[in-house]
Amino acid sequence: MHRMIETLPAADACRDGHAARLMQDLRGPHFGGGLYVECPCCRGNTCAQREMAISNWSRINGRPVPKAHVAAVRRVG
């Protein structure tokens, strides 16, 4: 089961300009669960942390990773 956590700001739109949203896959981590960002045309990788999911999304879509997310990802891992 999946649920939407939040709609991301316009700065986080995909390359084609579609609005992005942060989603949660409610399955356990061993079964592919976690957080990911998606839009109508693409989807990012599933990650354990919100910041990692948004950073991954930014890289996939050729956007700079927000500085707040870079610092959080470095702390995690």
Side-chain angles (χ1 to χ4, degrees):
M1 187 163 115
H2 303 256
R3 70 180 179 112
M4 187 173 86
I5 304 292
E6 66 183 289
T7 302
L8 300 178
D12 292 321
C14 76
R15 292 178 200 210
D16 294 333
H18 299 125
R21 57 190 187 164
L22 181 64
M23 301 291 292
Q24 182 179 23
D25 183 334
L26 298 172
R27 296 177 292 173
H30 298 294
F31 300 103
L35 299 169
Y36 61 93
V37 179
E38 72 173 11
C39 76
C41 70
C42 59
R43 177 183 171 190
N45 295 335
T46 303
C47 302
Q49 301 285 329
R50 177 187 188 278
E51 291 81 8
M52 293 173 73
I54 294 173
S55 295
N56 175 267
W57 175 258
S58 297
R59 280 191 294 277
I60 288 171
N61 285 286
R63 304 226 192 293
V65 176
K67 291 179 184 178
H69 297 301
V70 170
V73 170
R74 285 187 183 146
R75 282 194 303 268
V76 171

